[in-house]
Amino acid sequence: MAAQFGRRLRKGAATTAVAAVAVAALSASQAPGVNDHGRQTAADATPSPDASASDGSATGNSPYYTDLPPLNSPSPSPSTGPLPTPSGTPEAGIPATVLDAYKKAEASLRDSKPGCNLPWQLLAAIGRVESGQARGGRVTADGTTVSPILGPQLDGNGFALIKDTDNGAYDGNSSYDQAVGPMQFIPSTWAWAGRDGNGDGKKDPNNVYDAALAAGHYLCRNNWDLSDQNDLDRAILSYNNSREYLNLVMRWLEYYRKGTHEVPDGTGTLPDNRSDDGAGASPSPSTPGTPGTPAAGGSKPKPSPRPEKPGGGGTTTPKPPTTPPASPSTPPSTSPTPTDTVHHLEDAGTGELTAMAGDAFTKRISTRAETKAGKAVAKVRVRFTIVGDTDTTFAGGESVATVATNSSGVAVAPALQAGEKTGDVTVRATVVGRTVAGLDYTATVTERAADTLARTGDAALTCTPGGEFANQVEVKATYKGAVADGVAATATLIKSADDPTANDKGPYFKDADGKTVRTLTGLKTDAKGLLKLPKLYADDTTGTFLLRVNTEGGATLTVELTVAAAETSSPSPSASPSA
């Protein structure tokens, strides 16, 4: 990267010494793991072992722009004005519509996933690295790119090998996948991660509002908290699994956090260098059938000419090559990929999947990819999809998760989180990029339950005939010692301990119309597991009566009620007559 940055510094009469000084300054001020406060950053943090195991990557590890932020920090504070702050560095300017998309995505995630703590500056950092902020903000008023932004086809020739997963629907390529749009999603990831960020009813990877919101949700899955450095590392590495990519995104994140300003659409600065050593070429604005977009099954695309810079006087004159032209690229390898060898999926010892409504499932789905001969296949992406009408999700609120198989051919889905709808839930495992029979798992969501009920007080429950009980009955429900919230309950004034049918005399409740009721249904414990019953009243019958409270799960509590006439005081004896 230092060498690439040096190329950016060499202008006009700049000497080699000047470039060396700048690179040295870069090494000192932006060395991995150090910022201006001296604290460690993600650039020097070792990713956790599972950092790359969740989804392969959002981009298919496509090439990205490697331009570094300027050595000097942006001086202005964030501005909402339509024009750039004069004192701000050009690199700190973000096109208006693109900036609005990032901030709207942050606001949406703040409501839907507040525990994620997603900063919009992270989206800006990724957007800068992936597409140069949608090629300097070349977007329409609704946020759609003026022309598609496509990465090179992932044909295994210098890039990852990802065969077509969308029949060319997103990238126009029916042979291999290409990263698409301002946030550079590959089609197989967009198929489940895509979002409608501008409310037009469509999920378009070429729309910066849709793409920014999708990127936010992607970074916030797995219950990651992006205010935690380890989770932030995992999230960035899951977007593009590269140490250099992590370092670069962190540098742009820190740069944007120190200040940005808004610039008009189409006037943002354009990057110069990319990770595959192409200059300003990819991701390139392309349309099907034009240079920069390969024909289906074609060879690796050539870089598109760099578009005219805002306010400039035409395109840059190409420099004569300093080395002989490269020989034509070799055809893509025809050897089968791991995905090509998968014949079927097998359960890998998942076990029974049961949880009460609102609880996390303690067991996770495990699936093994195998060849026809039963041999395990590693490095295959398995997609887990929750199907049907249910509010059960994976941890983080998603209904789809894509996981790469490990060296044993096993993919373990994220933990399931039970919703409030009870019954059976189907989770389907399929192989991404290959048509083989899916494998269905059944997860059962049961009613919330309690195994213990107890009164919260011990005051006697007494009343005079025709009167009102002074104390209300309150109980607390627990399950295995923990608070049992949201548990359904029934309260009945029963005839006797051996006869649980409703009594026809003695204490009673009143309904909304003031009528006598001796059975209450539809009750639920609150967030603390508490249930406070309505007031009790007594008719003219005296004696001892029983109130029974039952909950889902079998917890039962019987409470004794007493109706007795008030005691009357005895008259004081008359004084005996005096002798």
Side-chain angles (χ1 to χ4, degrees), residues 41-43 229 232 236 246-254:
T41 70
Q229 191 64 60
L232 180 60
I236 296 172
L246 169 64
N247 295 349
L248 185 60
V249 169
M250 279 303 303
R251 284 168 176 151
W252 278 107
L253 171 59
E254 295 298 326

Side-chain angles (χ1 to χ4, degrees), residues 260-359:
T260 60
H261 56 270
E262 179 183 302
V263 298
D265 290 344
T267 65
T269 59
L270 296 174
D272 290 314
N273 306 292
R274 66 179 190 184
S275 59
D276 61 346
D277 293 326
S282 179
S284 60
S286 309
T287 54
T290 63
T293 301
S299 61
K300 178 178 173 182
K302 296 180 180 180
S304 304
R306 182 170 177 182
E308 180 178 333
K309 285 192 174 183
T315 57
T316 304
T317 303
K319 295 181 180 180
T322 56
T323 58
S327 58
S329 58
T330 57
S333 172
T334 58
S335 59
T337 66
T339 300
D340 294 331
T341 67
V342 176
H343 178 265
H344 60 272
L345 295 174
E346 289 284 345
D347 176 50
T350 298
E352 184 179 5
L353 297 166
T354 304
M356 286 196 302
D359 287 353

Side-chain angles (χ1 to χ4, degrees), residues 74-95:
S75 56
S77 299
S79 169
T80 57
L83 296 175
T85 305
S87 60
T89 58
E91 290 85 354
I94 300 178

